[in-house]
Amino acid sequence: MVRLPPRLRPLFPYLKPAYTAATRAVAPLSVKLATMRATGLPTGSVATVEEAAAATGGRCVLARPAEPIVRKPPRPGSADRVFAEQLVETAPRTVVAELPGGRLLGPHHAVIDGNGDLVYELSYYFGTTRPREHPLFLHPFPPAPLHVQGRLGVLATRGDANYYHFLMDVLPRLATLAACPEIEPPERWYVPAATRFQRELLDRVGITEERRIDSSVVPHVRAETLIVPTPPAMTVVNPPWVVSHLRATLLDPPIERVDDRAIYVTRGGSANNRAVRNEDAVMAALAARGFEFVDPGAMSVAEQIRCFAEATVIVAPHGAALANLVFASAGATVVELFPAGSVVPDYWKLSGGVPGLDYRYLTGVGRRQSGTRSQMLVSDIEVDLPALESVLDDVSSPRTENPSTPPSATGR
């Protein structure tokens, strides 16, 4: 998710490092002001939530220990280095912390303990490597906090305005809390509720409007006791347990796959945003195969869940809508489309936790980009139509599984 106008998006790979460097340079002055004038910015940092709890008289309870994830390579292109490097990964441990006098600050929801220290584990921001690169240090005079009596649960986190991050980083924190019955549940929740999908999902999991403090309206909050379940990960890991939790919570009642339902997910025409340049030709080729075309951004959450659960074949450019693969049914196939020379493993990882889901990918044709995540996010896609047709022919043909025999289509 790149928050720049279309014409400026190609500059994102260069602006992001510059922005982070500027934040790092400004942070010492911001911290000095915070120390002198009690502005509300953190004046120090701790690495983990356990440290924050111990230092402030709180407590921390283990929900899930760290656990290894072993993944199968995708097909086609199973030898691709991007996937090969992440066939084995560790899902971090999850805990629930009680932080007396804890705060959340800013649009990216940094967690600050009762001593005024930034809890870095809970406040990691995209592309940063140290606490003082957090964007909150660019705003040395934040608004005064709203004081909340009693116990306030935290679901808000960086990136939660994005559908993928809301599904994979926000909602699973409820499972983390449920795994710690010794922690008394909060009376209210600090959650993002600005968008339709956020409100619909919160209602579905029982966090109704009267129990919410909307983080998009209240940017700074201090609680008598902050109840903080950690996210499943602060980087893209997508542990299988998260997929299982979301399926059990949101696929109720179960939805059956429809054999002849094939969908193409459009991202629209906004440039430099993984838009499909030759989408008219792609749609014509897919229409001949009976595909329907869907725009998840125009659908309710319930409609998105049903659409992906019923689909037998899903073709889509890389984007947040593919978080709905969580709901795909056994026997379905997804073909993820990337710009030329750019592949990221996010939804391959997610697919590994969905029983019976076949993951494929295609990179586009044309000028190859640098291959970095930042460059991929602001590149558009020229779909290799013959390669896409070949993959779809392979998907629709009966096959005998033989791991030693590569598939006929290529992902190049």
Side-chain angles (χ1 to χ4, degrees), residues 13-83:
Y14 314 102
L15 293 176
K16 176 62 177 175
Y19 178 83
T20 300
T23 305
R24 187 169 61 246
V26 169
L29 176 60
S30 296
V31 171
K32 186 173 182 179
L33 286 171
T35 303
M36 295 171 56
R37 300 180 58 180
T39 65
L41 285 184
T43 53
S45 66
V46 293
T48 68
V49 68
E50 286 92 346
E51 292 177 64
T56 59
R59 66 168 172 164
C60 201
V61 176
L62 179 68
R64 296 180 68 95
E67 52 195 299
I69 305 172
V70 180
R71 304 185 175 97
K72 295 180 180 179
R75 61 182 193 193
S78 60
D80 191 285
R81 177 180 54 81
V82 171
F83 300 102

Side-chain angles (χ1 to χ4, degrees), residues 161-177:
N162 176 275
Y163 186 75
Y164 163 82
H165 287 293
F166 194 88
L167 270 181
M168 300 303 294
D169 299 342
V170 172
L171 294 185
R173 299 172 84 169
L174 295 171
T176 298
L177 179 62

Side-chain angles (χ1 to χ4, degrees), residues 16 66 71 84 122 155 161-162 165 198 223 237 361 373 394:
K16 176 62 177 175
R71 304 185 175 97
L122 296 171
L155 294 186
N162 176 275
H165 287 293
Q198 290 169 338
V237 176
Y361 73 96
R373 180 180 291 269
D394 187 58

Side-chain angles (χ1 to χ4, degrees), residues 260-265 286-287 289-294 307 310:
D260 59 352
R261 188 170 193 190
I263 64 172
Y264 170 76
V265 180
L286 295 181
R289 292 174 175 267
F291 275 69
E292 62 182 277
F293 310 122
V294 299
C307 183
E310 289 184 345

